[in-house]
Amino acid sequence: MENPISSAVEDYLKAIFELGEKDIKTQDLADSLKFSPASVTGMLKKLSKLNLVSYKKYYGVSLTKQGRLMALETIRHHRLIETYLMQALGYEWHEVHDEADRLEHVISENFEERIAKLLGNPSYDPHGDPIPCKDGIMPQLLGQPLIDFAVGTNIKLTRITKQDSEVLIYLAENELKPGGVFTIEARAPFNGPLTLNKGKKPIPLSYQLAKAIYAQAAI
Amino acid sequence: MENPISSAVEDYLKAIFELGEKDIKTQDLADSLKFSPASVTGMLKKLSKLNLVSYKKYYGVSLTKQGRLMALETIRHHRLIETYLMQALGYEWHEVHDEADRLEHVISENFEERIAKLLGNPSYDPHGDPIPCKDGIMPQLLGQPLIDFAVGTNIKLTRITKQDSEVLIYLAENELKPGGVFTIEARAPFNGPLTLNKGKKPIPLSYQLAKAIYAQAAI
DNA sequence: AAAAATTTTTAGGCATGACTAAAAATATAA
DNA sequence: TTATATTTTTAGTCATGCCTAAAAATTTTT
């Protein structure tokens, strides 16, 4: 009767959470999970029956309070694990995501607590993503997209919202990670690339990429 | 066509390996895995088709070379993880087994290598069980069962072949773990209990338990 | 060696969770 | 507003891997 939650369910809840507050469309979920829309519909019915999701046919889904909490727990696992892999096991930035995607479903409360404590209960992971607290409270998102800053501004990076290996390797090579301080050197018109500088050589970033990198104004 | 190996398959291979060299009976496997004999038969047919096992109906199973290597890899994962959990995360002895049983199926080669290196490529886990090398070579088993030693002998514990929480808690409380040095103080006749001593108070061990604890003669 | 007991296998089911193809609903265009 | 296009759902499959009940093979007893 009281079945344990499967990783499939956890993946759906996480994906719904990450698609936002509004009513999520079947298609968007299917794209995000790389499943067929038909499969998604099937699972949504199941999640609905489990009261993890509120689902209106042809209209969209959103998480119930319970489903949201469950999504947050998985995300907490994921982000703690990513932090731990880098901090304690010397993983590179681009290596952590896939590993965390598997581990997040199997670690115990015990494991979670131990690594959280060891890391000093961090509020942000190595990408600058907030790590939800155990009570489901999410630390605030820090910063705004790079493209929102004027040329000449000094900024401190807060968050990188990309996880493609190639991008992360490029960024890591240029020390573009949360905490890094740079100046916005230039910005080409018509959604052209943006150039950062740290005193060394300038670092060009495509418009798309600059939209995915968040920062705060710095001294 | 080329499917990834499931954890179910890994569990079967591990169980077969741990039941020994000889032809393993369906019933023994079923008991060990806590599945019905019918389910075991079904899976054995599948493993046979995958060339992981050589299976003769009504007779028994044993691992093929390939299956053995796969079993050893899972066991290596398990034992490295147990070692890591205690050494790096401060787990208690009795907490590691279940956690390792879940993690062993999902960690990457990368993870395995990193924790192995961090631990200094250990050859034995916290229970004294040998950790297979990556090439499938198993370090030798150390020691003999406690009941093989004469009263008065000084012994060094090498291996505890039990994983019941309660037993492990009892043993840990009395510092009975691999490396511990004791004297065999007494042994009751007719397969009665055995008493160890370390200068403090004597530690009684049931015959059954004493059979499951291995040691070497010490100074 | 035949009968009885035990073990193992076969047969048939079920839950999970993916898929494709076709039907139905909704949204867009004419 | 009707026709067309798109999205979503339904219907039906399939693989995995467990289960129980019954049949078949093997082992033990008499």
Side-chain angles (χ1 to χ4, degrees):
Chain A
M1 213 100 273
E2 270 298 301
N3 269 34
I5 292 310
S6 68
S7 359
V9 167
E10 290 175 349
D11 282 338
Y12 273 88
L13 297 177
K14 197 169 60 136
I16 296 167
F17 182 90
E18 280 167 353
L19 286 173
E21 301 294 312
K22 30 183 182 73
D23 294 284
I24 306 304
K25 302 294 178 234
T26 299
Q27 188 61 251
D28 294 337
L29 246 185
D31 291 345
S32 156
L33 290 162
K34 292 186 178 139
F35 293 146
S36 73
S39 301
V40 170
T41 300
M43 183 57 113
L44 290 183
K45 284 160 131 186
K46 182 193 170 163
L47 295 180
S48 185
K49 204 176 300 174
L50 289 172
N51 260 303
L52 297 173
V53 122
S54 118
Y55 167 54
K56 275 202 295 214
K57 267 192 198 178
Y58 294 102
Y59 179 73
V61 233
S62 53
L63 296 171
T64 61
K65 191 167 244 173
Q66 208 198 136
R68 203 184 113 92
L69 270 175
M70 213 167 269
L72 284 167
E73 206 196 328
T74 305
I75 291 168
R76 176 171 164 82
H77 285 182
H78 185 99
R79 295 187 179 165
L80 279 173
I81 289 167
E82 285 198 345
T83 310
Y84 186 79
L85 293 176
M86 288 192 70
Q87 215 109 343
L89 290 179
Y91 270 65
E92 299 294 324
W93 218 3
H94 61 97
E95 296 174 313
V96 296
H97 183 78
D98 291 353
E99 192 88 63
D101 258 357
R102 282 175 280 110
L103 289 168
E104 66 186 10
H105 303 296
V106 305
I107 68 169
S108 66
E109 209 62 2
N110 193 1
F111 190 100
E112 178 198 317
E113 279 164 18
R114 294 186 115 106
I115 64 173
K117 190 165 181 190
L118 229 115
L119 294 167
N121 292 298
S123 294
Y124 296 91
D125 76 11
H127 304 92
D129 288 323
I131 301 174
C133 302
K134 289 201 70 159
D135 56 16
I137 288 172
M138 185 70 103
Q140 70 174 146
L141 293 180
L142 299 179
Q144 307 132 253
L146 275 186
I147 50 166
D148 287 2
F149 293 91
V151 171
T153 319
N154 289 318
I155 50 98
K156 182 157 88 175
L157 300 184
T158 55
R159 197 166 162 236
I160 279 80
T161 64
K162 282 270 187 186
Q163 41 216 40
D164 324 44
S165 275
E166 289 170 25
V167 173
L168 289 179
I169 291 172
Y170 175 73
L171 294 180
E173 273 167 5
N174 292 97
E175 288 167 78
L176 276 162
K177 48 187 182 234
V181 175
F182 297 81
T183 305
I184 303 205
E185 191 174 85
R187 224 179 110 192
F190 309 118
N191 296 341
L194 182 151
T195 310
L196 286 186
N197 202 306
K198 201 187 184 167
K200 313 181 185 184
K201 55 174 190 268
I203 307 160
L205 300 173
S206 74
Y207 183 79
Q208 270 307 322
L209 186 48
K211 258 205 321 200
I213 299 179
Y214 287 62
Q216 290 174 332
I219 5 78
Chain B
M1 212 99 273
E2 271 297 301
N3 269 31
I5 292 310
S6 69
S7 358
V9 167
E10 290 175 347
D11 282 338
Y12 273 87
L13 297 177
K14 197 168 62 135
I16 295 168
F17 181 90
E18 280 167 354
L19 286 173
E21 300 294 313
K22 26 176 185 83
D23 294 284
I24 305 306
K25 302 292 177 234
T26 301
Q27 188 61 251
D28 294 337
L29 246 186
D31 290 344
S32 155
L33 290 163
K34 290 183 179 144
F35 294 146
S36 75
S39 301
V40 170
T41 299
M43 183 56 113
L44 290 183
K45 283 161 131 186
K46 183 193 168 162
L47 295 180
S48 185
K49 204 175 301 174
L50 289 172
N51 260 301
L52 298 173
V53 122
S54 117
Y55 166 53
K56 273 201 296 212
K57 266 193 196 176
Y58 294 104
Y59 179 72
V61 233
S62 53
L63 296 172
T64 60
K65 190 165 243 173
Q66 207 198 137
R68 202 184 114 92
L69 270 175
M70 215 170 265
L72 285 166
E73 204 196 329
T74 305
I75 291 168
R76 176 173 165 82
H77 284 183
H78 185 99
R79 296 187 178 163
L80 280 173
I81 289 167
E82 285 198 345
T83 310
Y84 186 79
L85 292 176
M86 289 192 70
Q87 216 113 332
L89 289 179
Y91 270 64
E92 298 295 324
W93 218 4
H94 61 97
E95 296 174 313
V96 296
H97 184 78
D98 290 354
E99 192 88 62
D101 258 357
R102 281 175 280 109
L103 289 168
E104 66 186 9
H105 303 296
V106 305
I107 67 168
S108 65
E109 209 61 3
N110 194 2
F111 190 99
E112 178 198 316
E113 279 164 19
R114 294 186 114 106
I115 65 173
K117 189 164 182 189
L118 228 116
L119 294 167
N121 292 298
S123 294
Y124 296 91
D125 76 10
H127 304 92
D129 288 322
I131 301 174
C133 302
K134 291 202 70 161
D135 55 17
I137 287 173
M138 185 71 103
Q140 69 173 146
L141 293 180
L142 298 179
Q144 308 132 255
L146 275 187
I147 50 165
D148 287 0
F149 293 92
V151 171
T153 320
N154 290 317
I155 50 98
K156 183 159 90 175
L157 301 184
T158 55
R159 196 164 162 238
I160 280 78
T161 64
K162 282 269 187 188
Q163 41 216 42
D164 324 43
S165 275
E166 288 170 26
V167 173
L168 290 178
I169 290 172
Y170 174 73
L171 295 180
E173 272 167 4
N174 291 98
E175 289 167 77
L176 277 161
K177 46 186 182 236
V181 175
F182 296 83
T183 305
I184 302 204
E185 191 173 86
R187 224 179 109 192
F190 309 118
N191 295 343
L194 181 151
T195 311
L196 286 187
N197 202 306
K198 201 185 183 169
K200 314 180 183 182
K201 55 173 190 268
I203 307 159
L205 300 173
S206 75
Y207 182 80
Q208 271 307 321
L209 186 46
K211 259 206 320 203
I213 299 179
Y214 287 61
Q216 288 174 334
I219 5 79

